[in-house]
Structures are given as structure tokens and as C-alpha cells.
């Protein structure tokens, strides 16, 4: 796996923070080179159509006309003016996206995007999202969490528990309504009743806050706690008992059962309905693309892989069914999966598993970020246009383009091809391949093609 960014240290080298985290939010805007940036937390990525349309209006009136998707399933507006904070706050209140201004940066909850939507028969953890968000916003202590602290609510498929969350909940399939709870770095888990799971997650977050306070290092995340203050499953069990939550020790057994990110395309549902999954190239949507998605069923789920899942469509047009002539293509008319995917493909979104954009991510780069050494998105587009289709030896590894060594937004839970801009050009690192340094943009297409001939998800597992 490529080098990790310096966001956390081992417990032998505890992180000592001299300030609170500066993670942007909806009220604390970040000054970037292309204007101000607002990050809107959307717990579980679950967004209704009215709220989505209000966000699009804000992006057009106050920002640069785009909505960015983050690696935690949140939304960002860029190009904001310095004086727009009050107006943006009013929009978010109307959209129901600011239920507790004091807690707006701590509502970092990722959830399995297809939970309750496919035929896997796994428990639906969507109710956990709403309940944990309610508990967080009602807890005065939870306001002390950093904007980087992350909760992962997994339905048992092992997708979001691969994302290095601080507190993990995983439903147990066929286990009488129980869930596994563990914190980052813990080898052991605790088994709690599914009905108690959101409250148990909040107890775990409170345990972290107490440990961070006692350590005096102002840790932002569980992995930053020094060894002497590391979270212990036994003590967490004691705290759960005091909170009236029965818990027993259990083996941590949740692991991904396939690709973590939902495949682009149609998803057959358990109850005669269907959903679809698409990706935004480089995680960036124009407001017309966003409105097209919001208008399909008035429900959206943003994924931690910069994708969007739309539930509530007719299954009649799952890809593979015969296409009808003159199929409707507008958002208002596209009520079936096949028609909707056709309209979204025409709009420039990734709708097929073999689309090369599926495996490409990038940080903001120039001109938006002052720390970036290159316009990584432009370089990624140029390299993608001429890159040959990879061989059928398994899906290609993600390629992440970074403008500096921080590697913002890099993939998690998987190996990846790492491209980092340096003063001398791009450095390329990939599993099983010799590192290359100082590559020029014109050399990158051939270098990436060579990497894709020798690496894939399947090869990286060997």
C-alpha cells in the first residue's frame, strides 16, 4: 500500500496537539485559494430531495455552481464569498441540515449505502443513523469531539467498517437483533442489542473524550491516544453496564465480502423496488447533475466513495432488460432504473462498472489549494483520455492524484496507485511495482498503463 499521510501516529509516538482541529464545517468556513469552502455534514449520506435542491440553489447563488462529495459521504460548497456565512446558515436551517449549530462538525456518520436497498438480506441500519445523530446533537459532551472523529454503521457487509472509523457498529446477520461495537485499534468487540447500538456508540465516544482529557494531548481521534490511555474493551464494557446497556465480549468477525463501494448500475431491491448507483468523476458534480439526481425519487444517499445511490425506482429497467424505443430521458420521466441510468450517463456521470473514471480520485489541487503543486484534476483528465482499458485480471486499483504529500481524500480500506506532485514532477507508487519519481504529465499515461497491466484488486490481495 502507498505511504500513508501524516494524519495519525502509532501509539508509540503519540500525537500532541497544540490547538483544536481546524476541520471546516457549515458555519466555520475554510479560506481556500478559490474562495471560502463549506463542508456540510450529512449523516449516513442520507438526503431528501428538497434539502438537495436547496443545496444546489446555494451552490449557484453563493458558490461556484458545483457540489463536491467527500470521502465521508458529505457535501462541500466551494468558491463562497467571505460574507455569505449568514445566508448559507439560513439555507441549511431551512433544509434541515443544521439541527444543532454547536454540533454541526461532529455529525460524522458513515453507513452502508445499500443498507435495506438490495437483496443481501442484511439488517437495515438506516434507523441507527437517525438515532445516533439525534443522540449526538442532544449531548453537550459530544460537542467536544473533533470534526475528524468518525462513526461507521455497517449492516454486516463490511464496507464502511473498512474506513478507519473511530467507533464502529456492525449488525450481526441472523443473530437475533444484535450488533458488534468496537473502537479503532481494538482487537476485541462487544456484542450489544441492536436497539441499544446507537446509545452504545455514544458511550464509546464519551470514553474517548475522557481518555483524551486524561492524556492531555488534545487527541482528535482514537488512534492518536498514547499507549497509556488507549481505549480498552473491558473498560468500555463497564461503561456500557453503567449506562444500562448489557454487553458481552465477542470476536470481531466483520470483513468485506466484495468491493466496498456500490457497483455503478442498477440494484434490485427486496420488496419489488430498485435503486441505482452512480459515481461523480473526481467527486465533483455540477448543479444540473445534482438536480437531475435529486429529481429522480426525491431521495439520495451520498457514499464515502464519492458516489450517489438513488432508492425508490421501478425495477423494470435493470440493465440487461430490452430497451424500449423512445425511452424517456428527463429526470421527471425517468422512473425506472434503465431510463434513469441512461439520463445520468448522458449527463456525464459514471453508470457502468467498466467506466475508467470509476477508479480515479483526486484532491482539490490547483487552483483551489495553495499547498498543491499541480492542477491534479486537469492532469488526471488528460491521462485518462489516452489510457488504455486495463486487462480483465480483476478491477483496477484506484488511482489517487495528490497535489502534495498530505494526500487529502485518498482511498481507505484498499490498496491504491499513489500519484503525488513534487517540485520535480509526479512520484508514482503502486503495490508490486517499482516506485517512479519525477514523471512529467506527458509521461503519466504510459506509466499508468504499465501499472494497470501488472496490478489490480485481485493481484494486490495475493
Amino acid at each position: 500500500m502507498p505511504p500513508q499521510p501524516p494524519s495519525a501516529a502509532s501509539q508509540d509516538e503519540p500525537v500532541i496537539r497544540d490547538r483544536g482541529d481546524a476541520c471546516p464545517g457549515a458555519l466555520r468556513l475554510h479560506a481556500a485559494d478559490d474562495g471560502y469552502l463549506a463542508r456540510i455534514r450529512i449523516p449516513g449520506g442520507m438526503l431528501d430531495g428538497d434539502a438537495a435542491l436547496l443545496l444546489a440553489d446555494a451552490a449557484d447563488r453563493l458558490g461556484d455552481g458545483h457540489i463536491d462529495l467527500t470521502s465521508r459521504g458529505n457535501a462541500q460548497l466551494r468558491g463562497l464569498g467571505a460574507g455569505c456565512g449568514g445566508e448559507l446558515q439560513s439555507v441549511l436551517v431551512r433544509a434541515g441540515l443544521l439541527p444543532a449549530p454547536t454540533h454541526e462538525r461532529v455529525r460524522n456518520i458513515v453507513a452502508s449505502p445499500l443498507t435495506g436497498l438490495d437483496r443481501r438480506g442484511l439488517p437495515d441500519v438506516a434507523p441507527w443513523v437517525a438515532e445516533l445523530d439525534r443522540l449526538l446533537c442532544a449531548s453537550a459532551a459530544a460537542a467536544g469531539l473533533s470534526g475528524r472523529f468518525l462513526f461507521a454503521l455497517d449492516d454486516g457487509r463490511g464496507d464502511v467498517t473498512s474506513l478507519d472509523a473511530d467507533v464502529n457498529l456492525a449488525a450481526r446477520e441472523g443473530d437475533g437483533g444484535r450488533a458488534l461495537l468496537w473502537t479503532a485499534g481494538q482487537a476485541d468487540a462487544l456484542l450489544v442489542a441492536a436497539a441499544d447500538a446507537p446509545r452504545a456508540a455514544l458511550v464509546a465516544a464519551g470514553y474517548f473524550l475522557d481518555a483524551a482529557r486524561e492524556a492531555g494531548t488534545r487527541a482528535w481521534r482514537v488512534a492518536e491516544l498514547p499507549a497509556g490511555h488507549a481505549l480498552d474493551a473491558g473498560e468500555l464494557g463497564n461503561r456500557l453496564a453503567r449506562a444500562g446497556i448489557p454487553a458481552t465480549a465477542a470476536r470481531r468477525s466483520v470483513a468485506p465480502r466484495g468491493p466496498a463501494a456500490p457497483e455503478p448500475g442498477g440494484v434490485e431491491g427486496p420488496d419489488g423496488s430498485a435503486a441505482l448507483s452512480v459515481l461523480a468523476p473526481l467527486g465533483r458534480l455540477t448543479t444540473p447533475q445534482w438536480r437531475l439526481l435529486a429529481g429522480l425519487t426525491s431521495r439520495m444517499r451520498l457514499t464515502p466513495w464519492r458516489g450517489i445511490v438513488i432508492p425508490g425506482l421501478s425495477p423494470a429497467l435493470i440493465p440487461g432488460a430490452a430497451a424500449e424505443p423512445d425511452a424517456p430521458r428527463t429526470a421527471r420521466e425517468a422512473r425506472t432504473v434503465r431510463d434513469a441510468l441512461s439520463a445520468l450517463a448522458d449527463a456525464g456521470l459514471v453508470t457502468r462498472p467498466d467506466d475508467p473514471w470509476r477508479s480515479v480520485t483526486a484532491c482539490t489541487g490547483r487552483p483551489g489549494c495553495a499547498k498543491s503543486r499541480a492542477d491534479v484534476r486537469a492532469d488526471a483528465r488528460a491521462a485518462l483520455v489516452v489510457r488504455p482499458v486495463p486487462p480483465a485480471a480483476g478491477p483496477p486499483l484506484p488511482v489517487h492524484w495528490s497535489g502534495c504529500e498530505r494526500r487529502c481524500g485518498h482511498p481507505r480500506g484498499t490498496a491504491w496507485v499513489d500519484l503525488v506532485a513534487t517540485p520535480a514532477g509526479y512520484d508514482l507508487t503502486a503495490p508490486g511495482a517499482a516506485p517512479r519519481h519525477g514523471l512529467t504529465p506527458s509521461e503519466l499515461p504510459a506509466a499508468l498503463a504499465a501499472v494497470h497491466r501488472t496490478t489490480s484488486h485481485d493481484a494486490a490481495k495475493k
Side-chain angles (χ1 to χ4, degrees), residues 6-8 15-20 148 216-220 224:
S7 57
V15 175
I16 299 177
R17 303 289 187 184
D18 58 3
R19 58 174 176 81
R148 303 171 191 267
T217 57
R218 303 185 70 173
W220 296 343
E224 297 177 358

Side-chain angles (χ1 to χ4, degrees), residues 43 76 106 124 136 139 159 178 220 249 253 262 264 291 293 319-320 327 335 338 356 365 393 397 407-408 455-456:
Q76 286 187 168
V106 306
D124 185 355
L136 276 173
S139 167
D159 53 0
R178 296 198 288 178
W220 296 343
S253 57
R291 289 189 176 95
L293 289 159
R335 299 302 185 190
R338 189 179 63 217
L397 291 176
R407 297 177 174 84
C408 293
T455 63
S456 67

Side-chain angles (χ1 to χ4, degrees), residues 229-245:
H229 296 271
L231 302 189
D232 174 73
E235 171 59 18
L236 177 55
N238 293 336
R239 287 171 177 253
L240 290 172
R242 291 196 293 271
I245 302 173

Side-chain angles (χ1 to χ4, degrees), residues 117 274-278 293-294 296-301 308-313 344:
L117 299 181
L276 64 79
S277 169
V278 298
L293 289 159
L296 290 171
T297 65
S298 294
R299 288 187 290 159
M300 304 169 64
R301 292 186 181 182
I308 307 95
V309 171
I310 303 293
L313 289 159
L344 295 170

Side-chain angles (χ1 to χ4, degrees), residues 289-370:
Q289 289 172 327
W290 180 268
R291 289 189 176 95
L292 178 61
L293 289 159
L296 290 171
T297 65
S298 294
R299 288 187 290 159
M300 304 169 64
R301 292 186 181 182
L302 311 184
T303 82
W305 300 275
R306 297 179 174 87
I308 307 95
V309 171
I310 303 293
L313 289 159
S314 164
L317 294 179
I318 293 288
E324 300 174 2
D326 305 320
R329 303 176 74 79
T330 68
R332 189 173 298 277
E333 296 169 320
R335 299 302 185 190
T336 56
V337 170
R338 189 179 63 217
D339 287 337
L341 288 173
S342 179
L344 295 170
D346 288 348
L349 297 173
V350 176
T351 62
R352 305 186 324 273
D354 61 349
D355 190 313
W357 275 118
R358 178 189 175 191
S359 61
V360 181
T361 59
C363 70
T364 296
R366 289 180 181 172
C369 178

Side-chain angles (χ1 to χ4, degrees), residues 401-438:
W401 296 69
S402 302
C404 72
E405 292 80 3
R406 295 185 305 162
R407 297 177 174 84
C408 293
H410 71 84
R412 294 186 183 275
T414 180
W416 79 92
V417 178
D418 188 55
L419 276 169
V420 178
T422 74
Y426 280 95
D427 287 352
L428 187 155
T429 309
R436 300 188 63 181
H437 303 283

Side-chain angles (χ1 to χ4, degrees), residues 47-64:
L47 191 63
D48 67 48
D50 290 341
L53 293 175
L54 285 169
L55 272 184
D57 291 344
D60 281 337
R61 288 189 299 104
L62 307 175
D64 65 1

Side-chain angles (χ1 to χ4, degrees), residues 17 19-26 28 37 39-42 70-74 76 101-110 136 141-151 164-166 208-209 218-222 224 412:
R17 303 289 187 184
R19 58 174 176 81
D21 83 282
C23 200
R28 178 194 287 179
L37 176 154
R39 183 172 299 159
I40 298 99
R41 267 69 176 185
I42 302 173
T70 77
S71 60
R72 293 183 167 193
N74 294 319
Q76 286 187 168
T102 54
H103 292 65
E104 62 97 5
R105 293 191 317 121
V106 306
R107 302 168 67 223
N108 292 305
I109 304 171
V110 294
L136 276 173
L145 293 170
S146 83
R148 303 171 191 267
F149 194 91
L150 181 64
F151 297 87
D164 301 331
D166 296 281
F208 162 76
L209 287 171
R218 303 185 70 173
W220 296 343
R221 306 201 62 189
V222 169
E224 297 177 358
R412 294 186 183 275

